[in-house]
Amino acid sequence: MTMERIYLFDTTLRDGQQTPGIDFSVEDKIAISKMLDEFGIDYVEGGYPGANPTDTAFFAAKRTQAAKFVAFGMTKRAGVSAANDPGLAALLQSKTDAICLVAKSWDYHVAVALGCTNEENLQSIRESVQAVTQTGREAMIDCEHFFDGYKANPDYALACARTAYEAGARWVVLCDTNGGTQPEEVRTIVSAVIAAGIPGTSLGIHAHDDTGQAIANSLAAVEAGVRQIQGTLNGIGERCGNANLVTIIPTLALKKTYADRFVTSIDTQRLSDLTRLSHAFDELLNRSPHAQAPYVGSSAFATKAGIHASALLKDPRTYEHVVPESVGNFRKVMVSDQGGKSNFLNALKRIGLDVSKDDPRLDTLISLVKERENQGYAYEGADASFELLARRTLGSIPHFFDIEGFRVMVERRFDANGQLKTVSEAVVRLLIDGHRIMSVAEGDGPVNALDLALRKDLGKFNREIEDLELVDYKVRILNGGTEAITRVLIESMDGDGTRWWTVGVSENIIDASFQALIDSIVYKLMKNRHMAGRLAAE
């Protein structure tokens, strides 16, 4: 039996950015696009160039290597030619492999939102798709409100989809924009679209979760014939969110009803990285991963003591629908923790460390990580700190310098012009090859001052870290009160574009920041010696 290909389209950076409380920076977008690209997603939609400064800057360069990089925007306006439409021009100038155009497919919206005739809307769809294909790039059309539009006027909704397909669109995406369509309706309407002459191999589904059925609707569309699924990491999105790719991907891969018929770009090895991807994304958003998330939640394979735990220990299949390690998770039985080694072995292999599963140092590392995570550390989102911890535990790393201490002062005063000003000054005392060094710097804030002081005078290592840059800084308070435990995540980058995350935890936010800063510098020095990062694994 020939396996059919399902294409995975991620819109985390575009539709996911509509989530209340989420506002991606350019650095966030670069980091997330890299995560998605390395995981194996087919299409990464980055946003709307020209709509805001962040997206315009993000699209100044191509941000993926294997995945197709996609820009989102509107079809041309009625009454303006494709060549003279500024919005379309910004899309065509972006550094992308494909362009996804949103088009009205509900005649009510054409009249109310666009204020043009139905035929003018079809003309805008046709000419916009042709403008994209003439540049040699893939054109896609998101048929907005398609299911509601079909129920109101099936002939016009179909005309919008057919116009896009006949104009050369690689994908015609049927959108349940309001999120209220039911799975059986999705099956029926998708079947009607295919019967009208648009093959399923050119159809996609874009489902919202307003009735909690975005995943069910996406799978119903696949069963009816569509071969592209759009969704987001952890189901983020406006209102109630989008279809959750983190749940859809393992369902397609591990459930026989789909796995026997379909194949995606996510192989077994990549699938085992799913939990890490999901948790790292949440850490980047500065929020706690959802414990009861399907497949990847910390409680997804957790069982309390009792008859369930007893049966689980005899045969895991009694209470597990898939093997936890297949998605990078592990079994947690409250009376006996049964899992974790395979996850660690895979993580260590990624960084170039081959360790036997019987090596007692591995047990030491696992215990240490679990102990530190209990204190508040989060290593899914701090790849560099995990690698340093692993290398210290399993072997050794060079001794570069000692920190004898640091001091940070914050002064709030009026300057010579009478303006209220807050100044931070940091002093760091280091010991390098027996020589004491005291480095002092002022910064915009205490962490910035510490960062500048650390890198201002690192003795013989100073030239090595000239291209080191702190690009992002995130703080999470792990419990309440003025004595709260604080976790700090820092993203760093160097001259060749490599990025890494480090973590620090303390009751003192400055101390937590300092831990993460030190890890970042040590990681950079290790990387320079081909002792850490990708070079070590290649």
Side-chain angles (χ1 to χ4, degrees), residues 94-151:
S94 60
K95 308 290 186 183
T96 63
D97 304 297
I99 293 174
C100 185
L101 301 163
V102 62
K104 303 294 185 185
S105 56
W106 185 358
D107 58 353
Y108 170 73
H109 277 260
V110 173
V112 173
L114 297 183
C116 66
T117 67
N118 287 353
E119 182 52 46
E120 285 176 325
N121 183 51
L122 295 179
Q123 182 181 1
S124 291
I125 292 172
R126 183 183 306 109
E127 293 183 9
S128 299
V129 169
Q130 290 171 346
V132 173
T133 58
Q134 285 168 7
T135 68
R137 285 177 282 186
E138 279 191 27
M140 308 181 201
I141 284 285
D142 271 3
C143 289
E144 189 181 30
H145 293 285
F146 183 82
F147 293 94
D148 291 320
Y150 183 90
K151 285 182 276 187

Side-chain angles (χ1 to χ4, degrees), residues 8-21:
L8 302 170
F9 183 108
D10 183 277
T11 182
T12 298
L13 298 176
R14 197 274 300 175
D15 216 353
Q17 187 160 259
Q18 306 303 313
T19 308

Side-chain angles (χ1 to χ4, degrees), residues 37 69 78 85 110 122 138 143 170 182 227 265 275-276 380 385 387 411 418-419 438-439 457 483 533:
D37 191 26
F69 191 42
D85 187 281
V110 173
L122 295 179
E138 279 191 27
C143 289
R170 167 65 184 90
Q182 300 300 293
R227 294 298 176 257
S265 56
T275 298
R276 187 199 65 81
E380 292 101 338
S385 286
E387 181 168 346
E411 182 183 5
Q419 298 295 316
M438 181 178 289
S439 185
D457 190 355
E483 298 180 357

